[in-house]
Amino acid sequence: MFRYLLEFSYIGTGFRGIQKTIIKSDPSFVDLKSVQGCLDVALQVFRPVNEIQTVISSRTDAGVHALHSTLHVDLQRADGSPYVEETITGVLNRTLYKQGLPIRLINTRIVPDTFHCRYSALGRTYLYRIAVAKNGIKDLDTQNKHFESFIPVEELDRCHFLHKATFDVERMRQASRMFVGRHDFRTFKSQDRQKSASRDHPMFTVRRIDEINIKPGRSACTGVNAKLAEELYDYWDIEVKGKSFLYKQVRRIVGSLIALATDRINEKCIYEMLTIPSKHNWDPRLQIAPAYGLYLARVHYNEEDLRVDNK
């Protein structure tokens, strides 16, 4: 039996998330609304003699995308020989394409049996994309006016568009430094999936953010739409790097930074949420950044952990 690391991308709009649902009372249930469930089914095309059990490196919420995610899976052929890595990539991509699924394999490689795609990960980089209306077409962020603005079809459910009267990116950059380092991010953790009060203990909510970089982005549009998008919007990429993150932590951080840049809150509000961690201290004026602007950009590994010496 050989262990394989699969690196893949996907558009998360039509999925409930990456992680599959397991129903213990119904072992035959197949979760085709999750990325993992679809990959489980696609892997059946290789007809391994063992049961397919995929392990994902990172969980993403409904609507979140991935430029680079990973999973590992053990596969055993009847004759004991390994599958050709390039063949796995090609056959899976063909299978996913035939099913009309927005998932694409980037690479496949054999890894040591001791490798674990989640626990071996050095860290993860998330990317949040925003597009801010330039001067002259702002003040459209009301219930109906927002829909009168031009939003390119290529960017639907791919980028968060803002039509605020003010947007101070330098203020956002300065405030982002407050999040860097080791903090108790309890205030920035969603309570939706919390099963017990013990999950509020610092041993579960303390995380370290290594970097937050805010830099100019670019439109994904082409043709006439590209020209319009460049004329009407400034694109910004917010990259957040760390080893691990709490549920919806990145979207809450981005939401608070956007609120600051648009002058809905001040720096003191962010400072208090960080220094007085509590699920009750999330400012009610804040909105969690929409899922469709978020991408898992990279899962990082040590190359030595991936190398099979006797391959």
Side-chain angles (χ1 to χ4, degrees), residues 178-276:
M178 287 192 278
F179 292 101
V180 177
R182 186 177 175 86
H183 300 283
D184 188 333
F185 284 99
R186 199 176 321 170
T187 309
F188 295 86
K189 175 174 73 74
S190 174
Q191 306 299 316
D192 295 354
R193 294 182 179 177
Q194 183 161 309
K195 296 181 179 179
S196 68
S198 65
R199 304 300 292 186
D200 278 335
H201 191 280
M203 69 179 293
F204 297 109
T205 57
V206 171
R207 293 290 190 276
R208 178 180 179 83
I209 291 181
D210 298 321
E211 293 180 43
I212 297 182
N213 297 309
I214 301 171
K215 53 190 179 183
R218 60 181 181 180
S219 168
C221 303
T222 59
V224 177
N225 279 2
K227 184 175 184 297
L228 269 174
E230 291 168 4
E231 290 176 352
L232 299 178
Y233 294 100
D234 290 317
Y235 285 80
W236 297 99
D237 290 346
I238 304 172
E239 288 185 347
V240 185
K241 300 180 181 180
K243 182 171 177 56
S244 61
F245 297 89
L246 301 171
Y247 181 49
K248 294 187 180 179
Q249 178 188 343
V250 174
R251 289 171 56 197
R252 283 182 173 239
I253 289 173
V254 172
S256 64
L257 289 174
I258 290 175
L260 178 71
T262 54
D263 207 25
R264 286 190 287 121
I265 62 170
N266 57 28
E267 288 80 359
K268 181 182 177 182
C269 176
I270 293 178
Y271 177 78
E272 289 178 345
M273 288 191 294
L274 271 172
T275 56
I276 312 174

Side-chain angles (χ1 to χ4, degrees), residues 60-61 63-66 126-129 158-159 238 248 250-251 254 289-296:
T60 57
D61 200 10
V64 175
H65 317 297
Y126 281 90
L127 166 67
Y128 200 94
R129 299 181 64 233
R158 307 286 192 276
C159 181
I238 304 172
K248 294 187 180 179
V250 174
R251 289 171 56 197
V254 172
Y292 52 74
L294 183 62
Y295 298 74
L296 175 58

Side-chain angles (χ1 to χ4, degrees), residues 4-159:
Y4 300 85
L5 173 67
L6 274 58
E7 302 172 71
F8 57 96
S9 305
Y10 60 85
I11 296 298
T13 306
F15 294 108
R16 195 194 61 259
I18 186 173
Q19 187 175 28
K20 67 183 178 183
T21 297
I22 298 175
I23 302 177
K24 293 182 179 179
S25 60
D26 183 10
S28 63
F29 173 74
V30 179
D31 184 7
L32 295 179
K33 292 300 292 180
S34 69
V35 176
Q36 185 182 17
C38 291
L39 286 169
D40 281 358
V41 173
L43 282 163
Q44 296 289 348
V45 74
F46 295 104
R47 301 183 183 276
V49 297
N50 65 304
E51 180 183 357
I52 293 175
Q53 293 186 340
T54 56
V55 178
I56 56 175
S57 63
S58 305
R59 289 176 289 182
T60 57
D61 200 10
V64 175
H65 317 297
L67 303 176
H68 177 267
S69 189
T70 58
L71 65 78
H72 78 250
V73 62
D74 295 334
L75 300 174
Q76 182 175 356
R77 298 178 79 169
D79 63 3
S81 64
Y83 294 94
V84 177
E85 295 149 307
E86 293 79 5
T87 299
I88 291 180
T89 300
V91 170
L92 279 180
N93 277 336
R94 183 181 64 189
T95 303
L96 295 165
Y97 174 77
K98 286 182 176 179
Q99 296 300 317
L101 295 168
I103 309 170
R104 290 296 178 269
L105 268 290
I106 303 169
N107 187 48
T108 304
R109 64 185 295 175
I110 297 176
V111 292
D113 294 341
T114 55
F115 174 84
H116 191 287
C117 68
R118 180 181 175 188
Y119 300 130
S120 298
L122 299 177
R124 295 154 181 84
T125 298
Y126 281 90
L127 166 67
Y128 200 94
R129 299 181 64 233
I130 60 175
V132 183
K134 294 182 179 181
N135 292 331
I137 62 165
K138 294 187 176 181
D139 285 325
L140 296 178
D141 202 35
T142 58
Q143 186 172 4
N144 291 322
K145 286 291 184 181
H146 176 78
F147 291 97
E148 295 177 10
S149 61
F150 168 75
I151 294 180
V153 68
E154 298 97 324
E155 296 281 20
L156 289 178
D157 294 328
R158 307 286 192 276
C159 181

